Amino acid sequence: MEFKEGKNRIYAVNENGEELGEVTFVPTGEEMFIIDHTGVNDQARGQGLATKLVAQAVQKARDEQKKIIPLCPFAKAEFERKPEYREVQANR
């Protein structure tokens, strides 16, 4: 599996180039983005892919020194479960 970055999204593809899931975000100013959706195809469910996609978004925020507002219910739950993500979470 490989993670790729597109316009306002990070997505996962398998070895055949088929897209398996994505996390999408909305840029908010120069220093922040909102995660508004995390989705995984039925064939890829149960493999932790959504968790990995959110982790990719967190890494993007760290690399770009940005903050995240996790509005997507899955991403919000990931931020609540993982204290190490709080450093990139925007204060609300």
Side-chain angles (χ1 to χ4, degrees), residues 32-91:
M32 192 177 323
F33 59 89
I34 297 168
I35 295 178
D36 63 346
H37 171 74
T38 305
V40 175
N41 295 355
D42 288 342
Q43 69 199 41
R45 290 187 186 263
Q47 300 175 26
L49 183 54
T51 298
K52 292 174 186 173
L53 285 162
V54 171
Q56 292 287 318
V58 168
Q59 189 58 52
K60 174 182 174 60
R62 287 179 177 144
D63 292 347
E64 297 177 5
Q65 298 178 356
K66 293 184 177 184
K67 298 289 186 181
I68 296 174
I69 298 172
L71 288 186
C72 157
F74 183 83
K76 187 174 182 178
E78 283 293 289
F79 272 74
E80 289 171 2
R81 276 193 288 270
K82 298 190 174 164
E84 65 269 24
Y85 288 1
R86 294 198 183 114
E87 71 185 67
V88 297
Q89 185 171 7
N91 294 332

Side-chain angles (χ1 to χ4, degrees), residues 18-35:
E18 299 168 323
E19 192 172 317
L20 300 177
E22 70 176 352
V23 61
T24 61
F25 44 88
V26 178
T28 307
E30 294 293 317
E31 300 172 356
M32 192 177 323
F33 59 89
I34 297 168
I35 295 178

